[in-house]
Amino acid sequence: MTLSKEVIAQLAEHVENAELNKKAITKITDDYPDMDWEDAYAIQYAIRKRKQDRGTLIAGLKMGLTSHAKMKQMGVETPVFGFLTDYGSYADGAEIDTSNFIHPRIEGEVAVMTNKTLKGPGCHIGSVLAAIDFVMPAIEIIDSRYENFRFDLKSVIADNTSAAGYVTGSNMKRIEELDLPTLGVVLEKNGEIVELGAGAAVLGHPAASVAMLANMLAERGEEISAGTFIMTGGITAAVAVEKGDNINMRCQDIGSVSMRFV
Ligand code: OOG
Ligand code: MG
C-alpha cells in the first residue's frame, strides 16, 4: 500500500460520486501515479462498503478483461474482478434509462450460479465445474467513470471494473448440458450483428475465469460462497450504446437476452 487510509477514503468518495452524479472524472492514477494494486482494490472495497452502508446489496461478482478482445480493446493484459449491485440488475427485455449512465457499453458474457464454496489457492476448472449449478447468457453494461473510457488497470480496479449493470437471460442450462468453450454467442445492435464469439474467448474456458476469481480472492483471505452469481467476463469487445438502441444476444443452446435503451 502506498496510500494512506484518508486518501483511500477520499478517492472512494470521488470515484463513487462520479458514478452517482454521472459525471466523468480524470483517471485517478494521473494524481496518484505511485498507487499500487492493493491501493486500487482498497478503493474498490471502500466504494463497496459505502454502498452497503446505504443499504445496497451485493448481488454477485464479476471478472473483467478475461478475453483477448477486451484486453486488446482496453490496452491492458491482466484480468480484474469487481462486484455487482442489486440496483444494477435488469430483467430480460428491460427498457433501460440511458441517462443512468455516462457513456455505456455492453458486453456479451456467460454468467454462472454456484452451489458450493470455491476457495483458492489452487482452485481449478474441475472444482469450478463441480460447483456450478447452472449457466445463463448475460449482457453486462459497463460505464467507466473515467473520461473517454480511458484508464489503466489500477484506475479501473478502483472504479469497480466499470461495472454499471447486467441483464440476465430468461433461460438457463445445467452445466453438464453445455460445452462452455464452444458455446457461441452472437450480439446484435438494432438487428445488425456487431460482435460474435465463443466461450473459449474467456481464458480458454469461462470456468477458468471463475477459478481465477477464487484464487484472486484467496490472496485477500476471501472465498466465493455457495449461491454466488458470477459474470465471467466479456467474450466480445464492448459495444457503445445510446438512447434508442435495441440489443439482442443469442446464445447457442440457451436462448437470447435482450434490452432496449430508452
Ligand atoms: C473494464 C471492465 C471489463 C469485461 O467483461 O471484460 C469487463 C472495462 O473494459 O471498462 O467487464
Ligand atoms: Mg464485463
Side-chain angles (χ1 to χ4, degrees), residues 30-193:
D30 287 355
D31 289 329
Y32 296 92
D34 297 330
M35 64 181 270
D36 64 19
W37 298 89
E38 261 183 85
D39 294 319
Y41 276 108
I43 296 165
Q44 183 192 118
Y45 273 69
I47 291 175
R48 179 170 159 155
K49 171 91 174 39
R50 289 173 66 83
K51 292 188 183 303
Q52 286 177 304
D53 288 348
R54 285 199 303 269
T56 297
L57 299 178
I58 303 307
L61 296 171
K62 63 164 280 190
M63 284 292 278
L65 306 175
T66 43
S67 70
H68 288 294
K70 285 288 315 182
M71 291 183 206
K72 191 164 158 237
Q73 183 177 33
M74 305 322 298
V76 290
E77 290 187 345
T78 313
V80 293
F81 69 89
F83 63 88
L84 305 173
T85 59
D86 55 2
Y87 65 84
S89 172
Y90 295 93
D92 190 7
E95 289 194 343
I96 299 179
D97 185 350
T98 317
S99 69
N100 283 338
F101 311 100
I102 304 166
H103 39 206
R105 295 181 178 180
I106 50 118
E107 304 174 318
E109 307 206 8
V110 166
V112 302
M113 191 82 186
T114 63
N115 60 10
K116 288 191 187 71
T117 305
L118 283 168
K119 195 166 164 34
C123 183
H124 52 75
I125 290 187
S127 11
V128 175
L129 290 178
I132 292 178
D133 216 7
F134 58 86
V135 178
M136 301 173 91
I139 292 177
E140 181 174 25
I141 306 167
I142 54 171
D143 191 32
S144 176
R145 268 57 70 166
Y146 300 119
E147 284 162 356
N148 305 314
F149 237 101
R150 244 184 252 126
F151 48 70
D152 49 28
L153 268 180
K154 287 164 193 163
S155 295
V156 75
I157 290 167
D159 182 27
N160 190 25
T161 65
S162 311
Y166 51 99
V167 188
T168 42
S170 321
N171 295 300
M172 53 86 153
K173 276 271 160 76
R174 298 268 147 212
I175 180 82
E176 52 277 12
E177 293 176 79
L178 298 170
D179 179 53
L180 288 183
T182 60
L183 191 75
V185 302
V186 177
L187 196 57
E188 296 165 347
K189 178 161 106 170
N190 303 325
E192 267 180 42
I193 296 172

